[in-house]
Amino acid sequence: MKEAYIADQNFENTDFSRLPFNKGEYENCRFINCNFEYTDISGFSFENCEFTGCNLSMAKLVKTSFHDAVFKECKMFGLQFNTCNAFGLSFTFDGCLLNNSVFYQTSVKKTVFKNSRLIEVDFTECDLSYAILSGCDLSGAVFDNTILEKADLRTSFGYSIDPALNKLKKAKFSLSEVYGLLYKLDIVIDKD
């Protein structure tokens, strides 16, 4: 079966978990209030696509390509970004719920995470250099052998990052959240 090529189309209020979704390449498309929950979008390609108010929770992403994809106010629980096509993988998240998602061993340099919840997200061995994590809740997020060089976490909170296990050269943090870097030392930090 020939894969579809779809460009410059809007998809609104569509439940792709119930309706067929043509496998193929989507370019400059907008998905607004669509449901992809538990949908298998493996092998699909999304280039310069925007997802707004969509539910992609638990969608299957094996070899899925995201090139300059934008996610706004999306529910994205439990996504396995580590199974995506790594070539050109790039996206931006604004106001998204990414709890329990996995970025294990992915290279997502310069990715912007803005005002998003990244609770218990796995960033193990992930390259987040130059990434911007602005206003994000990183409670329970796993940072282990993660590259955070020149990343900006100044307005994010709830993280626990062991400087001995991660690369943090020139990363930016706020003084108010410095405990997230010192938690393993079992010291008392007076906030006054």
Side-chain angles (χ1 to χ4, degrees):
M1 184 174 160
K2 186 177 177 186
E3 291 187 2
Y5 174 76
I6 296 95
D8 305 311
Q9 287 193 26
N10 290 343
F11 299 86
E12 294 186 53
N13 303 311
T14 305
D15 188 351
F16 292 112
S17 70
R18 297 177 187 265
L19 299 171
F21 187 35
N22 293 328
K23 184 174 184 177
E25 184 178 338
Y26 291 80
E27 187 173 348
N28 297 315
C29 292
R30 295 180 69 212
F31 298 89
I32 303 160
N33 298 320
C34 293
N35 184 23
F36 297 90
E37 189 172 30
Y38 291 100
T39 301
D40 186 352
I41 54 175
S42 296
F44 282 60
S45 177
F46 299 98
E47 186 166 337
N48 296 311
C49 290
E50 185 175 305
F51 298 81
T52 304
C54 295
N55 181 1
L56 292 104
S57 295
M58 302 302 292
K60 192 171 181 183
L61 304 176
V62 178
K63 302 286 184 205
T64 303
S65 295
F66 290 109
H67 300 277
D68 296 321
V70 176
F71 297 94
K72 295 179 181 176
E73 307 294 332
C74 290
K75 183 177 175 184
M76 308 174 78
F77 294 149
L79 293 182
Q80 303 284 323
F81 290 102
N82 58 317
T83 65
C84 288
N85 182 344
F87 182 74
L89 186 64
S90 59
F91 28 56
T92 300
F93 302 95
D94 186 357
C96 293
L97 304 173
L98 287 145
N99 300 358
N100 302 105
S101 290
V102 177
F103 289 89
Y104 174 70
Q105 292 185 334
T106 59
S107 179
V108 287
K109 296 178 181 180
K110 300 181 182 178
T111 297
V112 175
F113 297 89
K114 184 177 176 186
N115 301 321
S116 295
R117 294 187 69 182
L118 298 150
I119 296 172
E120 297 184 8
V121 168
D122 185 358
F123 288 115
T124 301
E125 297 180 23
C126 179
D127 187 348
L128 282 165
S129 50
Y130 297 94
I132 297 171
L133 293 100
S134 174
C136 293
D137 184 349
L138 293 161
S139 301
V142 177
F143 294 92
D144 185 7
N145 201 23
T146 305
I147 302 170
L148 287 157
E149 293 177 351
K150 297 185 180 177
D152 188 344
L153 290 89
R154 289 179 290 181
T155 58
S156 287
F157 53 93
Y159 53 80
S160 296
I161 302 171
D162 186 344
L165 300 176
N166 298 280
K167 295 179 182 175
L168 304 177
K169 188 174 183 178
K170 304 279 186 189
K172 298 174 184 174
F173 300 93
S174 67
L175 186 58
S176 63
E177 291 296 319
V178 76
Y179 181 78
L181 299 171
L182 304 173
Y183 72 99
K184 285 191 78 171
L185 300 176
D186 197 25
I187 59 176
V188 178
I189 299 171
D190 190 352
K191 293 190 179 188
D192 290 334

